[in-house]
Amino acid sequence: MTQRIRDFLRNRRDTGRDEAPCLVVDLEVVRDNYLTFAKTLPDTRVFYAVKANPAPEVLSLLASLGSCFDTASIPEIEMVLATGCAPDRISFGNTIKKERDVARAYALGVRLFAVDCKAEVEKVARSAPGSRVFCRILSDCVGAEWPLSRKFGCEPSMAADVLEHAHKLGLEAHGVSFHVGSQQRNTNAWDRALAQAAAVFRECGERGINLAMVNLGGGFPTKYLKNVPTVKSYGSAIFRALRRHFGNRIPETIIEPGRGMVGNAGVIESEVVLISKKSEEDDVRWVYLDIGKFGGLAETMDESIRYPIRTPRDGDAMAPCVLAGPTCDSADVLYEKQPYPLPVSLEIGDRLLIEGTGAYTATYSAVAFNGFSPLQTFHI
Ligand SMILES: *Cc1c(COP(=O)(O)O)cnc(C)c1O
């Protein structure tokens, strides 16, 4: 929570145009985050993962600071190009692309593509001839609060075959990528992945293909309720792992921070709609907010991400509550397995501040489920 966000919300209230819920993102925080990544990992290029927050203000700011961009679709590529950013700063990092979209990206000037199997290599070879490809390998994601499934990447033992196939079809077999899992709180998570990446480099080398790049992915955390290590400690852990597995031949590297770039820059203001109990004897209150899973807080799925929540009555005695959203879908419950402590004095109409909501919120909000509007956003 920054003073700028506090002032913005106060001014908005003073003018009476303060319908909750809304997300406010402080661009100064995004700027600081970018500069911290750039300073801490000086030999690494930053490809911001656009999906975390694709607001034009965020993209323009990062483009002006010199960031590159990791995209997953043609609209994301177009949003980045709309900032004036050149296509050679864009990676089409989704391993699942329609061949038509590969061709469109190529026509827009994009020359860097992710693959994780031979069928995808063939699409890129046909529709984006001569481009660079990197092969994504699976990661176990141990230590991540938002782990990724086996959906993306191949077993490291298959990667050399995929890259050799690309080489034979006239593509530039450029490197290896992985993602250690989002909200990765263990700085050593990159070590195992880099050991596997180095093995792919060796295997390709033996086949006469010299890879150049390791894409270290995202995973850099935002502080929610628990503390997280600094970017600096991630930087030194990654550097040590690169040395350990690549010796003196450290490859070109890129990172793709999403959450770590924008998460802590955003705050959602929400209103308490109802406080009730399921029986007179019940000691757990149900607190219903005007935002839930369908309004932008999708990452509370399985209660994975626990956001810090501030109330106007924070000094008062606290008691655990079930926290839920306003829609008529029974899945729209935020925290129930592990109830959330809130002040006993909390009242209907109180405004709550949900912190750390700059990433993976606004674009997750439904277009009109139950008639609720998409989350209003302000980038200041
Ligand atoms: C989503 C995504 C990221 C960003 O991940 P964070 O954990 O938010 O940093 C990076 N790379 C790829 C390929 C992604 O899909």
Side-chain angles (χ1 to χ4, degrees), residues 8 12 21-25 53 55-57 267-268 357 361-363 365 374-380:
F8 177 86
R12 204 166 157 261
C22 74
L23 165 68
V24 188
V25 174
N53 183 333
E57 297 90 337
V267 172
I268 285 173
T357 43
T361 50
T363 48
S365 101
L375 183 60
Q376 275 193 89
T377 61
F378 301 96
H379 290 81
I380 60 170

Side-chain angles (χ1 to χ4, degrees), residues 204-226:
C204 283
E206 282 164 18
R207 302 183 195 186
I209 300 164
N210 293 316
L211 302 181
M213 185 274 285
V214 176
N215 177 343
L216 303 159
F220 305 93
T222 277
K223 186 186 176 306
Y224 297 111
L225 288 170
K226 296 179 211 150

Side-chain angles (χ1 to χ4, degrees), residues 182-248:
S182 202
Q183 188 67 7
Q184 175 55 264
R185 292 172 59 234
N186 183 355
T187 57
N188 292 322
W190 278 262
D191 188 77
R192 237 169 72 82
L194 279 167
Q196 293 174 327
V200 179
F201 268 59
R202 279 194 299 276
E203 177 65 31
C204 283
E206 282 164 18
R207 302 183 195 186
I209 300 164
N210 293 316
L211 302 181
M213 185 274 285
V214 176
N215 177 343
L216 303 159
F220 305 93
T222 277
K223 186 186 176 306
Y224 297 111
L225 288 170
K226 296 179 211 150
N227 274 325
V228 295
T230 59
V231 173
K232 196 158 176 225
S233 46
Y234 284 87
S236 37
I238 288 172
F239 185 72
R240 277 197 309 275
L242 280 165
R243 271 263 174 272
R244 187 173 307 131
H245 302 296
F246 288 88
N248 290 328

Side-chain angles (χ1 to χ4, degrees), residues 49 51 70 93 136 179 182-183 217-220 256-260 360:
K51 72 172 184 289
D70 168 53
R136 179 149 170 190
H179 193 304
S182 202
Q183 188 67 7
F220 305 93
E256 299 175 330
R259 190 186 304 280
Y360 304 121

Side-chain angles (χ1 to χ4, degrees), residues 118 121-122 125 130 164-171:
K118 289 185 182 174
V121 164
E122 286 163 15
E164 185 176 29
H165 196 55
H167 177 74
K168 285 187 175 148
L169 293 179
L171 294 167

